[in-house]
Amino acid sequence: MTDDRAALQRALGHRFSDAALLELALTHRSADGRNNERLEFLGDSLINACVAEALYRRHGDLEEGDLSRLRASLVNQDTLAEVARELDVGSYLILGPGELKSGGYRRPSILADALEALIGAVFLDAGFDAARDAILGVLATRLAAPPPTESLKDAKTRLQEALQARELPLPVYMVESVRGEPHRQTFRVSCRIESLDLRTEGEGGSRRAAEQEAARHALERMEDG
């Protein structure tokens, strides 16, 4: 860990007037006293709003669904954790002994939460424009070259569109079995497309995950057939 936070502030594009806000943003709940969870709540809303505005302005040709998928590809734990690693946020985190020992400064959830908290802290320190500048700055390369919207569609959506293109009825999903304890269940779901005499199955930790897997298998069968 390091006490020199000047490099982090330069990476964020913001120099804090209130150093206590920066320290709070970097303090995980495993440490004693106040932590960054309230700032995380604030930063999450700011990032969603600013990314939504940026995508709206840059992609006038996209419908709401595509814009939502693009935003979800940018504002999620994995992406925010990647950005936090690029900023070396983990080196500045204030963690309790347990999290330090277990390598919490590398954990994606902790890194993503800390980045959100930092944005919340920028907002409280200097206002909305400063927070937006920080958000657009750290996400600049990803906003400039977002993934193709078609690649962001989930399997169920792609299967539905493929069937509609052929003017065929939509698939029917049915839960075939549920195994395990209530807090750790495994769902097995079937996907039936009667018009193609096609039936596939999928498993997952939730009904939705199992449906997605079944839909992926159905798409694969349709492409092979």
Side-chain angles (χ1 to χ4, degrees), residues 90-112:
S91 295
Y92 303 90
L93 290 174
I94 301 167
L95 303 168
E99 286 294 350
L100 272 173
K101 186 176 181 180
S102 65
Y105 55 90
R106 293 191 298 263
R107 189 166 299 139
S109 60
I110 291 178
L111 289 170

Side-chain angles (χ1 to χ4, degrees), residues 8 42 86 102 192:
L8 177 59
L42 183 58
E86 292 165 7
S102 65
R192 291 183 174 85

Side-chain angles (χ1 to χ4, degrees), residues 93-170:
L93 290 174
I94 301 167
L95 303 168
E99 286 294 350
L100 272 173
K101 186 176 181 180
S102 65
Y105 55 90
R106 293 191 298 263
R107 189 166 299 139
S109 60
I110 291 178
L111 289 170
D113 291 348
L115 180 62
E116 291 174 339
L118 284 165
I119 296 301
V122 171
F123 171 76
L124 293 181
D125 192 59
F128 180 78
D129 287 346
R132 179 170 55 192
D133 288 346
I135 292 164
L136 299 184
V138 299
L139 290 173
T141 56
R142 291 168 174 82
L143 284 167
T149 54
E150 190 65 27
S151 70
L152 299 175
K153 293 180 180 178
D154 63 33
K156 286 183 66 176
T157 300
R158 288 186 284 119
L159 177 59
Q160 177 177 314
E161 291 179 352
L163 292 171
Q164 288 175 331
R166 300 188 189 187
E167 298 184 346
L168 296 175
L170 297 182

Side-chain angles (χ1 to χ4, degrees), residues 12-114:
L12 277 173
H14 177 74
R15 184 175 181 82
F16 280 85
S17 298
D18 185 352
L21 275 173
L22 175 56
E23 177 151 346
L24 183 61
L26 295 168
T27 303
H28 185 252
R29 66 175 178 270
S30 61
D32 290 335
R34 298 174 67 207
N35 60 64
N36 63 8
E37 288 186 333
R38 283 169 54 84
L39 287 174
E40 172 201 334
F41 162 78
L42 183 58
D44 174 65
S45 299
L46 289 163
I47 294 171
N48 270 286
C50 291
V51 169
E53 180 193 20
L55 293 174
Y56 179 88
R57 293 185 182 280
R58 296 180 189 207
H59 301 283
D61 57 321
L62 295 183
E63 298 296 330
E64 184 272 341
D66 288 333
L67 288 171
S68 293
R69 282 187 282 272
L70 269 181
R71 182 179 60 181
S73 75
L74 293 167
V75 187
N76 62 68
Q77 178 178 288
D78 290 342
T79 301
L80 295 181
E82 284 178 8
V83 173
R85 289 189 196 97
E86 292 165 7
L87 302 178
D88 197 25
V89 170
S91 295
Y92 303 90
L93 290 174
I94 301 167
L95 303 168
E99 286 294 350
L100 272 173
K101 186 176 181 180
S102 65
Y105 55 90
R106 293 191 298 263
R107 189 166 299 139
S109 60
I110 291 178
L111 289 170
D113 291 348

